[in-house]
Amino acid sequence: MPSLIDIVKNKFLEAIRSVNPPGRWKILVVDEFAQKLLGSVLKQFDILEENVTLIESITSHREPQPEFEAMYMLMPTNQNVDRIIRDFTEKKQYAAAHLFFIEGIAEPLFQRLTSSPAEPHLQALKELFINFWAIEAQTFTVNEPSFFYSMYSPPRSESQFRGAKDRLLEDIRFTSKMITNVCITLNEFPYIRYYMPTNHEPLGPLKPHKSMRQPPPPENSARWRTNLARGSEARAYEAIESEFVTKVLAFMVQSNLDEHKKANPDFGKVDVGRGRGTLIITDRSMDMIAPFIHEFTYQAMANDLLPIDNGTKFTYKFQAAVGTYEDKTATLSDNDKLWTELRHMHMREAIDKIMNDFNKFTEEHAVFKGEGAASLNDMKDMLASLPQYQEQREAFSLHTTMAQECMAIFEHAKLPLVGNVEQCCATGVTAEGKTPKSLVEEMVPLLDSRDIINSNKVRIIALYIQYRDGVPEEDRRRLYQHARLTLAEQDAVNAMVHLGVKISKGPNDKDTKKKIKQKSNNEEEYELSRFKPALRTVIEDNIANKLDESLFPYVKDSPLKTPAPASLRSPPPATSLRSSKPSWHKAPRAGAPVRDDKQRLIVFVAGGMTYSEIREVYQLSASLNKDIFIGSTHSITPKQFVDDLKVLELAGVGSKAIPNGLRDAREGQRPYQEYYDDRYYSQDAPPPPRQQPSNLSAPKQKIIQPSPTQSFSSFLSEASQEKEKKKKRGLFRF
């Protein structure tokens, strides 16, 4: 199936290659945010190979280069449009400009460009629609962990509900644009479904509140009492009861896609063999078990137990030679073939594969004699004597170290005992398939034990409360006492109520009937890996056309109501408002996807996705023969999730994502462009001190200056000297 990373990478390369000035060489101008997106899929060397002689930051002081054409790759902000216009008003910065905006540019900004003094110098304009983070082949994020707080943090006071809701709606609109970009990049105009919870009302700032209700209809109104013919007043009054974040987000995405389809009739034309895809929008509240439970597959376990930064960076002791060690930071990405093969395996299977691959490697190289490695420690000793196989050494050493450290923590933290209790709580049955009758007797000693860290006790209690569908206040207090939880840790458990979890139960309370139930798994499974995320059931039921429409309604079209595929009809010609203006403006092509006849399913989890949910998407893609993609506001680990819950009622104050908490809640939504400009604002660099002018027309050697951002580092060491000589100019002025 097509990789999201490759698709985004190819769109960037296609844009760069489309600019072919007469003099062959061109300059690339980027802003800080576009540079980071570009750097996430391309190395600097890859860009230089495309006849790019100079990469400049639009915020830095730039000397005029009127003999070269430039391509601008920017976020479509007011600030950047002003900078482009300024480049061709106060002076002629370049011979011509080719504009590539990371996503769609608003009509007022487009009009300002086309009526400005820069217009005669503009050769092309294209919208790329790739403003999202492709972090794996089938995984993307908005990269905004702060949205967890804007979605679920309760307003601090009665007077703040309106402002908090307006703030959330701004963030949801931004998220909807990101999801829209993914659909456009995949050239997919999907059916859209969204999760409608039945066990709780809207959460966070969307919680029904008197300050945001429409006035009720007259008491004697017949329409108020008649379900079949409710009046508009009644519907407006009741609307707030179903205003879930998933519903609001789904309708915004539908609106965005309809608007794009209207301007680009060819968008989303379906291959007859593949059929139209589906987008399912759900949120973290749908499954509150997955973020707490210990997972023992390689990627999930490593991110849970090891200090891996942002799911990608891991620093470890690398044995450079026998007896010598050095710190090394590895990047866990799709470029690491061994990582992609291991990440969804159970840890036991992953270790076996590492050992088997290493022993196979030793058999293929005559430098080794005798028996292969019998343990991970044997491997480390043998790897130290392999200086001539640097790449293989680093890969095996990295994953050997990760696996060893995970298993050491597994034993030391008593995770076999912890995991057994968690699995019984999560599945509701023992490993033998029976109702757990001694759960409390097994759980309390773990809570009392000083060998179990508090964060694991929080997870046990959170899962137990969900298993019991709430516990009496006194029982919860006793659990906290047994576990000796701090007040912050108690806050984390109590905060589950803000994500729809019932944590308290009175003597007459009935259990909540859950509509999404875990299916029994007939596959051979490990006792500590019996739980499967609810997302698995949702995906399987959707593909089998069994997903409950009352629980996951469609926004608009549904497969049963759609008369014919769009590809079988000739759409009427549609004219964009922009197409009548200058001929240099090219309407965005809706991505040229890799040919593929598998039907697509895109799942978006608002509020954070777990590594177990990511794993399910890959496994179901293979077993169901579908192209399934998963995205979220951000990826979460259990530790991060517990830490986020600790400060949920504080609006994120003290969190890693937003230490100062959410931005002030002010009533009234800003225009989207104003919100966007604020999000992508970048400071202009101060002008450099006056110096003697230097001759830049024909530099004798490359001048490399460091970048002020971390997206690019100098990759020129990768280039051979022969390739460097082919560059006529090589000035990097970041």
Side-chain angles (χ1 to χ4, degrees), residues 580-591:
S580 58
K581 188 50 178 143
S583 58
W584 54 263
H585 174 257
K586 300 177 182 177
R589 285 197 313 148

Side-chain angles (χ1 to χ4, degrees), residues 161-406:
F161 263 88
R162 174 67 65 181
K165 180 177 180 180
D166 288 336
R167 178 179 59 200
L168 171 58
L169 291 175
E170 289 181 349
D171 291 342
I172 293 178
R173 187 166 298 282
F174 178 78
T175 304
S176 77
K177 299 286 187 182
M178 290 280 208
I179 300 172
T180 302
N181 287 334
V182 173
C183 294
I184 294 173
T185 296
L186 292 172
N187 192 32
E188 188 68 63
F189 186 54
Y191 302 109
I192 301 179
R193 308 185 74 168
Y194 58 95
Y195 173 53
M196 279 287 285
T198 56
N199 60 321
H200 63 79
E201 61 187 3
L203 304 168
L206 296 180
K207 184 177 180 179
H209 189 260
K210 59 185 180 182
S211 65
M212 292 180 291
R213 279 194 186 275
Q214 296 293 326
E219 289 185 14
N220 297 325
S221 171
R223 288 174 174 252
W224 169 248
R225 297 191 300 269
T226 307
N227 286 329
L228 295 177
R230 289 196 311 262
S232 59
E233 296 142 329
R235 287 195 297 271
Y237 182 80
E238 295 167 351
I240 195 171
E241 305 287 350
S242 63
E243 201 173 28
F244 293 92
V245 67
T246 49
K247 180 179 180 179
V248 176
L249 182 55
F251 275 80
M252 285 185 180
V253 173
Q254 184 73 66
S255 175
N256 296 341
L257 290 173
D258 287 345
E259 185 179 339
H260 186 78
K261 178 75 171 176
K262 185 177 180 181
N264 302 272
D266 288 340
F267 165 62
K269 280 196 171 181
V270 181
D271 296 334
V272 176
R274 179 160 60 83
R276 189 174 169 187
T278 300
L279 166 65
I280 298 178
I281 296 178
T282 181
D283 75 335
R284 189 63 273 150
S285 73
M286 186 187 79
D287 183 355
M288 282 290 288
I289 293 177
F292 288 110
I293 200 162
H294 278 89
E295 287 278 344
F296 299 112
T297 47
Y298 189 55
Q299 182 184 34
M301 188 175 182
N303 276 280
D304 187 1
L305 304 183
L306 304 182
I308 299 177
D309 183 24
N310 200 29
T312 57
K313 301 290 184 183
F314 178 64
T315 301
Y316 66 106
K317 293 289 184 183
F318 175 69
Q319 191 169 1
V322 177
T324 63
Y325 290 86
E326 62 184 46
D327 286 335
K328 194 171 192 67
T329 299
T331 300
L332 303 170
S333 71
D334 283 26
N335 293 326
D336 182 344
K337 183 181 177 184
L338 188 54
W339 168 247
T340 58
E341 292 175 347
L342 294 171
R343 62 189 174 193
H344 300 137
M345 290 183 177
H346 189 276
M347 180 59 79
R348 180 68 264 167
E349 296 169 354
I351 291 174
D352 289 344
K353 178 169 177 55
I354 294 171
M355 298 285 297
N356 291 336
D357 284 4
F358 179 75
N359 287 330
K360 183 179 179 182
F361 174 74
T362 60
E363 290 172 6
E364 294 173 353
H365 295 82
V367 68
F368 296 102
K369 295 180 181 179
E371 296 292 326
S375 68
L376 293 177
N377 278 327
D378 290 347
M379 277 185 61
K380 295 186 91 168
D381 292 338
M382 295 172 72
L383 284 167
S385 61
L386 281 176
Q388 67 271 45
Y389 300 106
Q390 184 69 14
E391 187 176 341
Q392 292 91 334
R393 281 182 70 204
E394 291 183 4
F396 282 124
S397 179
L398 166 65
H399 296 294
T400 301
T401 301
M402 287 175 60
Q404 267 191 326
E405 291 189 14
C406 282

Side-chain angles (χ1 to χ4, degrees), residues 145-146 148-150 153-154 156 160 167 488 491 642-664:
S146 66
F148 175 77
Y149 299 104
S150 62
S153 287
R156 293 288 193 89
Q160 290 188 349
R167 178 179 59 200
D491 288 342
V642 170
D643 287 344
D644 289 347
L645 288 175
K646 289 177 183 177
V647 293
L648 186 61
E649 289 193 355
L650 301 177
V653 174
S655 67
K656 181 179 178 181
I658 43 172
N660 296 324
L662 291 169
R663 64 189 185 278
D664 291 338

